[in-house]
Amino acid sequence: GAVVSQHPSWVICKSGTSVKIECRSLDFQATTMFWYRQFPKQSLMLMATSNEGSKATYEQGVEKDKFLINHASLTLSTLTVTSAHPEDSSFYICSANSGGESTDTQYFGPGTRLTVL
Amino acid sequence: SQKIEQNSEALNIQEGKTATLTCNYTNYSPAYLQWYRQDPGRGPVFLLLIRENEKEKRKERLKVTFDTTLKQSLFHITASQPADSATYLCAQNSGGYQKVTFGTGTKLQVIP
């Protein structure tokens, strides 16, 4: 149980284009999901908290107009990187909490590798 | 501001020995600390959670301790195996429901 998937697993795009990444909780409902970014040899940095049915909460320094988050249902959150540039190239990972006994544990997706040319 | 630090960037250990990884936090004690394993190009996988009022928790070959006096958590892998080679991340709750902050990780290499 508590499986989180991401799609695509990797994407290469041209500078200036937009890329959408999907995060799904497969066997549970998640009112809250989290989006992280991880640069090589660095730890996960929280970008934003995605709330079902309401606006996302962004961390300081993260541009909300550049990283659009939509939490349309209890099992799906999407992150759209708008007008992507090479410096946006990174590993993007989402997570969700499955509730129940493990209310404090987050389950992570496999990540999406974004490369902007 | 609250910080969480894993001082060892890398740790090499002989197969069969016990690996010990350290996580230190500053200022106030978090309500809980978590340990995750991350393999290259993959998302983190949850291993153990230990709460502020718990001194020790075990799961198979894994053991985690929480010392609020030293502001430290230790993560032990006994009888280490090459398959244990990975980056291990500690994380603390950082305000807000379910929100966590991660340390920089320790890359463990178990040598056959």
Side-chain angles (χ1 to χ4, degrees), chain B residues 35-83:
Chain B
W35 285 87
Y36 290 82
R37 168 183 174 142
Q38 186 176 26
D39 291 285
R42 307 293 295 174
V45 175
F46 171 77
L47 297 175
L48 282 170
L49 179 152
I50 186 165
R51 301 192 183 280
E52 187 181 13
N53 61 352
E54 298 174 318
K55 291 197 180 300
E56 181 181 298
K57 185 166 279 188
R58 294 174 182 262
K59 178 182 176 182
E60 298 175 350
R61 294 185 295 114
L62 309 180
K63 184 178 83 172
V64 173
T65 63
F66 195 158
D67 190 325
T68 55
T69 302
L70 295 177
K71 295 187 177 180
Q72 182 180 84
S73 174
L74 298 179
F75 176 80
H76 306 272
I77 304 175
T78 58
S80 59
Q81 305 166 0

Side-chain angles (χ1 to χ4, degrees), chain A residues 31-32 34 36 38 41-44 46 49 59 91 93 96-97 101 103-111 113, chain B residues 6 9 32 34 36 38 40-46 49 51 89-90 94 97-105:
Chain A
T31 55
T32 302
F34 300 90
Y36 295 82
Q38 186 176 34
K41 297 187 178 181
Q42 294 186 26
S43 191
L44 285 76
L46 180 65
T49 302
E59 294 301 299
F91 192 50
I93 311 173
N97 181 282
E101 293 183 358
T103 56
D104 296 318
T105 300
Q106 291 192 29
Y107 294 91
F108 286 82
R113 174 75 59 191
Chain B
Q6 294 180 254
E9 191 173 315
Y32 58 81
Q34 303 185 57
Y36 290 82
Q38 186 176 26
R42 307 293 295 174
V45 175
F46 171 77
L49 179 152
R51 301 192 183 280
L89 303 164
C90 72
S94 55
Y97 183 53
Q98 303 167 14
K99 189 173 170 181
V100 297
T101 300
F102 284 87
T104 52

